[in-house]
Amino acid sequence: MQLLVATNNSGKLAEVEATLKDLPIKIIPLTSLGTWSKVVEDGKTYEENALKKARTLADFSGYITLADDSGLEVDALGGAPGILSARYSGEDADDARNNEKLLQALAGLWQENRGARFVCVLALYSPISSGEREWVFRGECEGWITFSPRGDKGFGYDPLFVYPPLGKTFAELDRETKCGVSHRGRALEKLKEALPSLFPLLTHP
Ligand code: ITT
């Protein structure tokens, strides 16, 4: 089975590829399409955004498509940045600016007030030409936000997110270890569990 992974984020793509590598699935990255439509992420939930990305790219490309919408929810900020995590520091946001803004927003707070969770919602969508079906899988991971960045692996907010059972930030873990415990790893595990029963539906519409 061929699966388009509809993300512009190379960190997400690498984690999906690593976690699904043992399945009989050929991962198609967006870059192999040459051009693709940009999706405006205007949903109110991760589910809405993930489904919109998956539907748009599946109907554009004709491939069965997996999309990911994710974010970091910080308790002291009332759950922000949440679904706005990618643009937390503005329209020209990047990982460094987002992390800097988050550390500033939490300045002066003790560890017990720095609780946070990562959320990942995966949407799997088969295009109109294959019968138009959709499924979503959610994973979450609890932790807290460091006082300064630690580690150089991963992407996004990884250097700031401590996973308490290992006492390390996600950026201090190798990809396999992170995916074994992370929000995305947990959502991907649910997808993997469901896939055997979905394969017939996806491959013989
Ligand atoms: P696509 O929409 O193209 O998939 P994106 O990076 O814009 O890529 P989102 O809209 O889902 O993805 O935004 C998610 C934000 O949360 C973004 O800033 C990511 O860097 C961050 N994020 C998501 N998962 C993460 C993880 O596992 N580790 C660190 N940061 C993560």
Side-chain angles (χ1 to χ4, degrees):
M1 182 182 121
Q2 295 190 311
L3 180 67
L4 179 71
V5 177
T7 180
N8 296 293
N9 183 322
S10 56
K12 287 183 182 180
L13 177 65
E15 293 185 3
V16 172
E17 282 177 329
T19 311
L20 300 185
K21 68 177 184 311
D22 298 330
L23 298 178
I25 290 177
K26 180 172 164 23
I27 303 272
I28 313 286
L30 268 186
T31 47
S32 74
L33 298 181
T35 61
W36 60 90
S37 24
K38 182 145 178 50
V39 181
V40 180
E41 297 184 33
D42 52 4
K44 292 192 183 58
T45 63
Y46 302 104
E47 282 77 5
E48 279 177 29
N49 282 336
L51 277 167
K52 185 173 181 187
K53 290 187 243 189
R55 277 189 204 120
T56 307
L57 272 303
D59 289 337
F60 174 78
S61 68
Y63 285 116
I64 298 164
T65 299
L66 184 71
D68 169 313
D69 200 59
S70 41
L72 179 67
E73 300 182 347
V74 179
D75 296 338
L77 304 178
I83 59 166
L84 301 177
S85 292
R87 284 159 285 151
Y88 183 45
S89 58
E91 281 311 312
D92 57 350
D94 59 22
D95 291 346
R97 285 198 192 104
N98 285 342
N99 285 350
E100 201 177 312
K101 180 169 175 183
L102 181 57
L103 285 178
Q104 276 169 13
L106 300 185
L109 292 185
W110 297 100
Q111 181 179 327
E112 57 267 32
N113 295 320
R114 300 174 79 93
R117 80 201 45 76
F118 266 127
V119 179
C120 171
V121 172
L122 298 173
L124 179 67
Y125 188 87
S126 71
I128 289 174
S129 54
S130 312
E132 202 183 12
R133 296 190 185 89
E134 62 193 31
W135 297 268
V136 293
F137 306 91
R138 173 184 269 252
E140 299 190 7
C141 182
E142 297 287 334
W144 61 274
I145 304 301
T146 51
F147 298 94
S148 57
R150 275 170 28 201
D152 57 6
K153 302 185 183 72
F155 64 94
Y157 297 93
D158 280 345
L160 299 187
F161 184 83
V162 179
Y163 179 64
L166 297 177
K168 290 187 173 172
T169 68
F170 272 176
E172 294 176 304
L173 304 179
D174 59 43
R175 186 177 293 141
E176 197 185 334
T177 309
K178 176 188 169 188
C179 290
V181 298
S182 74
H183 50 311
R184 183 162 300 101
R186 288 172 185 173
L188 283 164
E189 278 311 312
K190 291 182 186 172
L191 167 71
K192 275 168 90 170
E193 256 177 62
L195 268 178
S197 57
L198 302 185
F199 264 124
L201 293 171
L202 288 166
T203 48
H204 305 290

